[in-house]
Amino acid sequence: MARSDWEAVIGLEVHAQLLTDSKIFCGCSTAFGAPPNSQTCPVCLGLPGSLPVLNERVVEFGVRLGLALNCTIREHSVFARKNYFYPDLPKGYQISQHELPLCENGHLVIDTPEGEKKVGIIRAHLEEDAGKNLHDPEGGPSRVDLNRAGVPLMEIVSAPDIRSSDEAVEYLKNLRSILVYIGVNDGNLEEGSLRCDANVSVRKRGETGFRTRVEIKNLNSFRFLKQAIDFEIERQIRVWEEGGQVVQETRLFDAQAGVTRSMRSKEEAQDYRYFPEPDLPPLRVDEALVARVRESLPELPREKQARFVREYQLSAYDASVLVADKAVADYYEQAVAAYGKNPKTVANWVINEVLRLIKENPEGIRATRAEPERLAALLRLLDEGRINAGSAKAILEEVHRTGEEPEAVMRARGLEQVSDVGVIEEAVARVIAANPAELEKYRAGKKAVFGFFMGQVMRELKGQGDPKLVSEALRRALDS
Ligand code: ADP
Ligand code: MG
Ligand code: ZN
């Protein structure tokens, strides 16, 4: 049976660390990189007799996230204990939300080759993070760092609406962009402040029910997410086609080998024995808080994209590239304002040149010293015919590194375009005098020789001649 007879069914579970200064149930700092266990207290160490107190800022962030994902915010939600044993979990249970989560029934819109698509968000709930086991590569004893224990997380569970690895990547990119826009998460997949697990199953096209799924863990980049899902789809199709059964299990993605491997089967899966957390009252979120948070939500990526298309006449694609990172969108708008015209030209320069210069830089657009005003100044030099496009790119590269003014770079590197007709005519005369044989050919009707002359004159002018003026001067001289 052909591959195209099958379709994938995918749902993502994403954990996002909330950017609060203190932990979810105690006042300990959430700052990253402190010495192990220096940011702990009886509550997050799970010492007997200590009691959790809910951080109000966490609730506000949770509501913010829920609203940005079009969720219903539950007036009463309930914390629950999820019981399991692991060295990084000092209490022997994680405080999470189970039956009554803070946010439910939302959705997120993504672009697919077939157009816009709504991916459902089943739920988004609050929970605490666990600590981190530190293993000694030399084989010494393992240790536990509990600085991360009690850091607030939001788990965002999508509906099984995703149908390909590309859609999964698109979903995660959009989700990350929203989280960063609303300031609740730093969007860092590599460092684990945003973590993604993928649930994957396959079914024959036309089937209405779902088949058995597996859950893949350890997907800490967009590339790994795509690779793991593609591998898993192929593996499951093969299993079904060979007459086997896909078993429900948790699998780990091995990035080195590009494969998923079984980690634990359903039989080995824990029963978490959830029950309501007796040390915390039900969480009550009143309408006033929801209204206040809704009021404070910034323009979200898709709204911004639509506005860019409308206001600046950009293509939907260009607009999506610009809005993916809010800092880039802000940079673009500042550059348009500074330049005062032609937003499409500015978009081309930002997308093709500025973004290329900062491509590998983790600082993103903040890393460039070619601030919006400098880009605008560069474009004005281009408009005035004082530089050509090639020089403009060279100048931008230097401005990006040094933060110097484009005009200063132009002068220092002698990149000013020669627009003095007298100078150009002298160069033309010199070139023609030095190439009598070519002149002969041209006059005999071999018009292609014009290109040769053009190149020679540009060389004479060190590449800085205004191409239009050079071409006009040449024609005058050659055709006279
Ligand atoms: P559980 O309670 O066991 O975690 P959920 O119903 O909460 O299961 O689903 C967890 C995730 O798995 C969700 O993202 C959901 O969309 C996804 N999912 C559920 N069933 C399937 C399936 N058959 N194939 C792929 N993904 C699925
Ligand atoms: Mg689940
Ligand atoms: Zn603490």
Side-chain angles (χ1 to χ4, degrees):
M1 187 174 283
R3 167 74 179 75
S4 60
D5 293 332
W6 293 89
E7 78 174 350
V9 175
I10 301 159
L12 298 187
E13 290 173 282
V14 174
H15 286 87
Q17 263 181 21
L18 300 182
L19 287 171
T20 54
D21 296 332
S22 55
K23 295 186 180 181
I24 183 169
F25 300 122
C26 61
C28 292
S29 167
T30 55
F32 187 77
N37 298 307
S38 62
Q39 294 169 166
T40 55
C41 73
V43 172
C44 55
L45 290 173
L47 299 187
S50 65
L51 288 172
V53 177
L54 181 59
N55 177 347
E56 278 177 31
R57 192 98 177 115
V58 169
V59 178
E60 192 186 315
F61 276 26
V63 172
R64 226 171 145 68
L65 195 155
L67 291 177
L69 297 177
N70 308 290
C71 291
T72 311
I73 309 298
R74 207 175 246 295
E75 218 182 306
H76 281 95
S77 60
V78 171
F79 286 100
R81 288 189 183 178
K82 179 177 179 178
N83 299 281
Y84 65 94
F85 289 99
Y86 202 68
D88 65 9
L89 191 71
K91 296 193 295 293
Y93 59 84
Q94 176 194 27
I95 304 181
S96 180
Q97 294 188 311
H98 185 52
E99 271 166 15
L100 301 173
L102 179 61
C103 315
E104 289 172 309
N105 297 327
H107 69 262
L108 182 158
V109 180
I110 60 171
D111 285 317
T112 75
E114 295 82 42
E116 280 195 350
K117 172 170 177 165
K118 249 187 201 182
V119 177
I121 308 280
I122 299 174
R123 54 186 279 145
H125 67 253
L126 293 171
E127 61 186 30
E128 59 178 342
D129 207 345
K132 207 172 187 167
N133 293 331
L134 307 172
H135 302 294
D136 181 358
E138 249 95 88
S142 292
R143 296 166 198 276
V144 184
D145 175 11
L146 292 174
N147 283 349
R148 210 180 61 182
V151 166
L153 298 179
M154 195 91 179
E155 178 175 347
I156 303 141
V157 182
S158 90
D161 292 343
I162 298 165
R163 291 290 171 270
S164 68
S165 59
D166 285 336
E167 285 185 15
V169 167
E170 194 63 16
Y171 169 87
L172 188 60
K173 282 191 170 164
N174 276 276
L175 177 58
R176 178 172 81 156
S177 169
I178 291 171
L179 297 179
V180 175
Y181 262 65
I182 62 174
V184 303
N185 179 261
D186 67 14
N188 201 325
L189 281 161
E190 285 77 11
E191 284 171 15
S193 40
L194 191 63
R195 301 167 219 154
C196 179
D197 303 333
N199 295 272
V200 180
S201 66
V202 297
R203 65 178 175 185
K204 294 255 181 71
R205 271 180 211 286
E207 264 175 35
T208 47
F210 293 145
R211 297 196 185 194
T212 309
R213 70 178 144 116
V214 307
E215 182 176 4
I216 313 169
K217 300 223 173 257
N218 192 29
L219 303 172
N220 61 357
S221 74
F222 293 112
R223 195 159 56 87
F224 293 166
L225 175 64
K226 181 171 168 56
Q227 282 177 3
I229 290 174
D230 285 337
F231 175 87
E232 192 55 29
I233 292 172
E234 295 301 328
R235 186 189 72 82
Q236 291 185 19
I237 292 175
R238 211 174 323 116
V239 170
W240 290 120
E241 290 201 333
E242 286 168 1
Q245 293 270 331
V246 168
V247 293
Q248 187 168 343
E249 61 184 353
T250 303
R251 296 176 74 89
L252 256 182
F253 181 59
D254 176 342
Q256 220 97 53
V259 304
T260 65
R261 294 183 215 284
S262 183
M263 187 169 115
R264 57 170 183 256
S265 69
K266 199 188 178 193
E267 287 71 46
E268 299 163 72
Q270 300 106 316
D271 170 6
Y272 292 120
R273 297 177 293 120
Y274 280 102
F275 63 87
E277 166 61 60
D279 291 339
L280 285 166
L283 170 56
R284 210 185 116 70
V285 175
D286 59 27
E287 261 174 57
L289 173 64
V290 175
R292 183 166 61 75
V293 173
R294 197 188 293 280
E295 196 62 24
S296 75
L297 276 183
E299 181 181 45
L300 296 176
R302 288 198 79 83
E303 297 164 2
K304 203 184 276 293
Q305 183 191 359
R307 180 169 64 79
F308 278 18
V309 168
R310 213 170 50 234
E311 230 174 275
Y312 303 128
Q313 277 84 49
L314 303 183
S315 70
Y317 178 76
D318 283 357
S320 77
V321 172
L322 292 171
V323 307
D325 178 347
K326 181 165 180 298
V328 172
D330 291 345
Y331 176 99
Y332 169 70
E333 291 206 275
Q334 284 161 21
V336 170
Y339 188 42
K341 60 179 177 189
N342 229 334
K344 244 182 121 61
T345 304
V346 180
N348 289 340
W349 276 83
V350 172
I351 292 170
N352 298 329
E353 303 306 324
V354 180
L355 290 186
R356 184 174 55 77
L357 291 171
I358 57 155
K359 198 165 178 207
E360 304 294 331
N361 201 307
E363 294 277 297
I365 193 86
R366 286 169 205 88
T368 189
R369 301 199 56 198
E371 283 87 4
E373 293 70 25
R374 299 213 165 91
L375 177 62
L378 181 75
L379 295 181
R380 277 193 292 272
L381 290 177
L382 201 52
D383 282 347
E384 291 160 4
R386 294 177 64 192
I387 51 174
N388 59 35
S391 303
K393 288 176 192 174
I395 293 170
L396 181 63
E397 229 171 294
E398 189 158 334
V399 174
H400 158 73
R401 274 188 292 107
T402 63
E404 275 186 66
E405 288 302 331
E407 184 156 356
V409 175
M410 175 189 80
R411 285 184 203 287
R413 292 186 43 187
L415 290 173
E416 189 153 17
Q417 183 159 266
V418 179
S419 316
D420 183 324
V421 176
V423 173
I424 292 174
E425 281 174 344
E426 279 169 28
V428 166
R430 279 200 300 278
V431 167
I432 289 179
N435 295 281
E438 303 299 321
L439 179 64
E440 195 82 349
K441 281 189 210 159
Y442 182 84
R443 297 231 156 115
K446 202 159 174 242
K447 300 297 179 195
V449 179
F450 187 82
F452 162 81
F453 278 112
M454 191 71 198
Q456 291 300 307
V457 176
M458 282 308 256
R459 218 170 95 183
E460 189 78 13
L461 296 168
K462 301 196 172 57
Q464 255 73 81
D466 179 325
K468 189 158 162 285
L469 295 182
V470 170
S471 157
E472 284 166 6
L474 251 179
R475 281 205 194 287
R476 281 196 304 276
L478 291 172
D479 296 340
S480 64

